[in-house]
Amino acid sequence: MTSFSFCNAPKLILEFCTRYETPKVVRFKSTSVAFLSHIIKLLLAVYCILLMFQQNSYQIFDRSPISAVTIRIKVSPNCSNHLNYSCTDPKDDAVDFIVPPQENSAISIVTRVIETEYVLRTCNKIDRINEHNCSVKQQCVIPPYYRQLLEKTNQTLPPLCWHKFPSRTKNNYDALSYVLFIKNYVEFPQLNLVRQNLVTDSVKPSYFISCKYDETYHKLCPNFHISKILQLVQIKHDEYKQIFHYGSLIEIKIIWKCNLDFSVKKCIPNYVFSRLDMPYSDNIFIPGYNFETSRHYYTDEHELHRITTKIYSLRFFITVTGEVGRFDLFQTTTSVGSFLGIFGMGAIICDIIAAYITNFNFVKYDGQQIST
C-alpha cells in the first residue's frame, strides 16, 4: 500500500496542478423561492450601501487632534439680570476675581470671597471669647521676630495664639455679565488639516467682535456669557443661585467632526456644555468648588497678621475632541469585500428554504432532471 502511494504521488500532484473544479449547481423550478431570493439579495445590498455611507466606511479617519486653547475673560458693557442681581458700581475690578490658570485649558472666575484676618498675640491680651485654644499645636507658633528676640535675651516668652477678627464677605454679582472668549487651534496631522474656531472663511472677522453665542443662531461665536453657560448646564432654576454661591465645575467641549470630501468651509466646531460636579441636592457636604489661601504681613508694632481667604469660583475646563474623514480607495475596497460576505448570506438563506421547507416537482442536478 505504501509503495503504491509513493508511486502515484507524481500523478496526484500533476492532477492537482492541472485540474480545476467548480461546485455543482442544483436548480429548483419555483417562482416563490426565486422571488424570495431576489428580494433578500436586494435588501442585503441596500443594507450594505446604507451601512457604508452611515458609518463612512469608505473613508480614512484621523481621531487624534493636536490642540491649543487660549482663554480670556472680558467684561460685558451690558449687565445681566439673570438671577435678579442688581448691577452696582463695584469697588473691585474684574481682574480681582479672575484666578490665574494652574493648568492648561482651564480658568476660574471667583463668585464669592470670605476673608478672615488673624493677629498673633499673647493668649491673655484679648478677651477669651475670641481666644483660640493654644493646646492646638498649629495655633501656637513663634514668628521670626519673637524667635530672634528669644535667642538674644534667652528669656521665656508667653504662649502666642492666633486671634480672629470678624470675617468679611465679597460677592461678585457682576460675574454673570463676564464673557468667556475662547480661541482654539486644532491640527489633524494625518490628513494635513489645520483649523481654528475663528472660522473667517465662513463669516466675516468683524462678526467675532460683537456676537454672542447661541446654540441655534450663533453656533460659531466664541464669546460665551457666563449667565448663558449656566442656563445650558443646569435646567433646574433652583440650582442657579447655588452654583453662583458655592461655585461649580463646568466643562466646555469643542468637537470637530469634519468630512473633507466636501468643502473645508463646512469643517466648523461644535460646542457642548456639561456640569462636572454633582447637584447640591445630591452632594450637600462638599458642594461646588472652593479653595483656601493665606498671606502674612507684619505691622509697625511687629505684630504678625494673617489673612485667610476662602474662594468660591466657577472653574471652566476646555477639552477638544474630534475626527476628520476623507475618501480612501484602500479602505473602500476593504469595506466592499466585507459587505460581499454579508451579501452572500442571501444565497445561504435561500438554500435552507429550498432544501428543508419547499417541495419541488422539477429539480435539475448536475444537468440531469430528477423527479421528486
Side-chain angles (χ1 to χ4, degrees), residues 4 31 346:
F4 177 78
T31 305

Side-chain angles (χ1 to χ4, degrees), residues 60-62 188-194 258 260 323-326:
I60 186 174
F61 290 95
D62 187 353
F188 294 88
Q190 186 175 350
L191 296 181
N192 298 322
L193 175 67
V194 178
C258 306
L260 296 185
E323 65 175 20
V324 174
R326 176 182 291 165

